Amino acid sequence: MSRKNYTFTSESVSEGHPDKVCDRISDAVLDAFLTEEPNARVACETFATTSRVVVGGEVGLSDPEKLDAFMDRVDGIVRDCVKDIGYEQKKFHWETLKVHNYLHKQSAHIAQGVDRDGAGDQGIMFGYACTETPELMPAPIHYAHAILRRLMEARKSGAEPDLRPDAKSQLSLRYEDGRPVEVTSIVLSTQHAHKKQTSADIRAIVEPYIREVLPSGWITEKTEWWVNPTGTFVIGGPDGDAGLTGRKIIVDTYGGAAPHGGGAFSGKDPTKVDRSAAYAARYLAKNVVAAGLADRCTIQLSYAIGVAKPLSIYVDTHGTGQADEAAIESAVAQAMDLTPRGIRTHLGLNRPIYARTAAYGHFGRAPQNDGGFSWERTDLADVLKKGL
C-alpha cells in the first residue's frame, strides 16, 4: 500500500537558467526547421558559457541546397532567443556573444530507419497524471513552475525591474491522506540587479508573487522561507555557470514524482520517440485519469530503432484504478495509433510548437489553438471509458 502521509519536494528553473537557455535555443532551431519543412530532421544540442554559444548536431531537409542556406540563419536564431530571455549583461549579451555553428547533415544510417516509419531510436518513455491539481499534474512541480513563470511575467512587464532572468524554485509539500495540504519549505534563488540587495530585500520583492500563486492556506506560520540563501546573486546565466541542452529532464516532466526514461526532449524533432512517445504517454495517462479510471496513472512505452510498433505498453494505476490495468493497456492501444507516425499525426507534432516548451515544464500546460501542447488534451477520455 502506498504512503498517505509524507513530504515531497520538486524543483523548477527559469528560462534564464543556463541549461534552459540552451534548451530554448535548441527548440528554436527545431521550430525554424519545421517551419521550413514539416518533415525536417533535427537533433540539435547547445552549449553556453561566458560570452559564447555553441550549437551542434544533426539536421536534414529534403533539399540539400535549402539546408546549406539555412545554416546562415542559426546565428540570428541564437541571438533572438538570448534577447527574448533578457540577457544584456557584460559577459553574456545577445549582441556581443560569439556563436559557433556545428550543425551538419543527419546520418544516412539513422535516417533509413525513420524513413521506413520506424522509431528514431530505441528507448523507454513514461507518462504520468494524477488528481492533485486541475491540470492533473503532481502539485510540487506544478507550483514550482508557476512561481517562476509569475516572476518572469513581473520581470518582463517592468513591474519588477530588479529581477534578472536566472532563477530556481523548490517546494516541499506535506501530504495528508494522500493530498497536498501544506508548504513546509520554499526555496527561491533569483538573479538580481544590485550587489547591495540582501536576501531580505529579494524576499520582499518575490513573496507577494509566491503567495499569489500558491493555493490559499498552504503557506503557514511554520513554512520555512529560503530566499537567495547564499546572499548576492548578481552574476547569473551562462556567465555564472555553463549550460547544456537536456540537463533538466526531471524539471521538464514530473519533478521526480514519476519514473523517467532518461531521454531529453529539447532540440529533437518528433520522429525521435524520446520526445513524441513521452508526449503520447502523458496524453494517454492524463486521459485515463480524466476519464475517472484512476486517480493516478503511470504509462510506459518502449521502442526499437527502425521498428514502428511499440514493443510494450505498461499501465500502473497505483492501487487507485477503477478498471483492471491489463484492460486499460488494451484500451489505450486501441484508442491511439502508437507508431511514431501515428503519434505525430494524432497529436499534430510536425509543427513549430516547441520553443514554448523549453521552460516551465512540457506538461500541465493548456492546449493551444495552433496545436501547442496538444498532448494535454483530454479528448480521449470518453473513448477510453467506452473501450472499457
Side-chain angles (χ1 to χ4, degrees):
M1 181 179 293
S2 61
R3 292 179 65 189
K4 295 291 186 180
N5 301 313
Y6 56 92
T7 299
F8 193 82
T9 303
S10 294
E11 70 156 347
S12 180
V13 297
S14 72
E15 63 178 344
H17 184 281
D19 296 332
K20 283 290 147 198
V21 172
C22 295
D23 286 346
R24 169 72 175 273
I25 292 169
S26 293
D27 274 336
V29 170
L30 169 61
D31 279 354
F33 268 93
L34 292 176
T35 299
E36 187 72 31
E37 184 177 302
N39 293 316
R41 304 287 167 76
V42 181
C44 176
E45 313 292 345
T46 303
F47 168 72
T49 187
T50 302
S51 298
R52 196 173 302 269
V53 171
V54 181
V55 180
E58 299 75 45
V59 295
L61 292 171
S62 58
D63 185 342
E65 291 185 4
K66 283 186 178 181
L67 182 59
D68 292 339
F70 187 91
M71 294 303 181
D72 295 333
R73 296 170 52 191
V74 172
D75 184 276
I77 291 170
V78 171
R79 295 183 193 279
D80 286 346
C81 288
V82 175
K83 182 180 181 181
D84 183 67
I85 290 168
Y87 277 117
E88 295 186 342
Q89 56 199 52
K90 184 177 180 180
K91 294 186 178 181
F92 198 76
H93 193 296
W94 63 272
E95 282 187 313
T96 59
L97 61 82
K98 294 181 180 179
V99 179
H100 305 265
N101 178 11
Y102 297 106
L103 291 171
H104 60 87
K105 188 176 180 181
Q106 183 188 40
S107 162
H109 292 170
I110 294 176
Q112 65 185 356
V114 180
D115 290 341
R116 294 196 298 266
D117 290 338
D121 201 354
Q122 71 177 49
I124 56 175
M125 299 84 207
F126 287 92
Y128 181 73
C130 62
T131 57
E132 292 178 20
T133 64
E135 295 78 11
L136 305 185
M137 283 289 288
I141 187 66
H142 178 75
Y143 289 108
H145 286 323
I147 288 169
L148 293 183
R149 193 161 53 241
R150 185 67 188 93
L151 292 177
M152 175 271 292
E153 293 167 355
R155 172 175 62 87
K156 288 190 169 182
S157 71
E160 300 297 346
D162 286 344
L163 296 182
R164 293 293 183 266
D166 195 357
K168 301 179 80 172
S169 66
Q170 184 171 288
L171 279 184
S172 298
L173 297 186
R174 183 174 67 84
Y175 284 70
E176 192 173 279
D177 196 25
R179 308 298 300 178
V181 296
E182 178 187 12
V183 179
T184 61
S185 67
I186 298 169
V187 183
L188 192 286
S189 295
T190 182
Q191 185 185 13
H192 54 97
H194 308 295
K195 291 182 180 179
K196 292 184 179 180
Q197 289 173 310
T198 66
S199 296
D201 294 330
I202 303 305
R203 176 171 172 175
I205 293 172
V206 303
E207 182 172 344
Y209 297 102
I210 294 173
R211 290 184 177 275
E212 173 190 326
V213 164
L214 294 177
S216 177
W218 279 20
I219 297 176
T220 70
E221 293 181 354
K222 295 186 294 182
T223 301
E224 295 182 347
W225 289 77
W226 302 98
V227 177
N228 281 20
T230 62
T232 304
F233 184 9
V234 172
I235 300 172
D239 180 34
D241 189 12
L244 191 67
T245 298
R247 284 204 299 201
K248 288 292 178 284
I249 59 175
I250 300 303
V251 170
D252 284 343
T253 52
Y254 308 103
H260 195 295
F265 300 157
S266 290
K268 297 177 181 178
D269 75 71
T271 67
K272 279 74 171 173
V273 284
D274 273 347
R275 181 169 219 157
S276 55
Y279 289 173
R282 160 63 179 173
Y283 173 63
L284 292 172
K286 186 175 184 180
N287 276 272
V288 167
V289 174
L293 300 175
D295 290 337
R296 293 172 60 203
C297 181
T298 299
I299 292 181
Q300 185 204 58
L301 305 173
S302 69
Y303 291 85
I305 188 168
V307 179
K309 183 181 177 181
L311 305 184
S312 65
I313 302 171
Y314 167 78
V315 171
D316 184 357
T317 57
H318 307 277
T320 69
Q322 302 300 311
D324 180 72
E325 287 156 332
I328 297 176
E329 290 168 356
S330 297
V332 298
Q334 293 171 17
M336 183 179 180
D337 178 356
L338 289 171
T339 65
R341 178 182 289 276
I343 293 170
R344 297 196 302 273
T345 301
H346 189 107
L347 297 178
L349 298 181
N350 288 101
R351 290 185 273 192
I353 55 175
Y354 297 104
R356 71 194 73 170
T357 69
Y360 313 116
H362 291 246
F363 307 130
R365 313 277 287 272
Q368 297 174 341
N369 291 335
D370 66 351
F373 301 102
S374 59
W375 48 93
E376 291 297 312
R377 302 188 316 243
T378 54
D379 54 323
L380 276 189
D382 287 341
V383 174
L384 291 174
K385 281 192 285 189
K386 291 176 180 177
L388 288 161

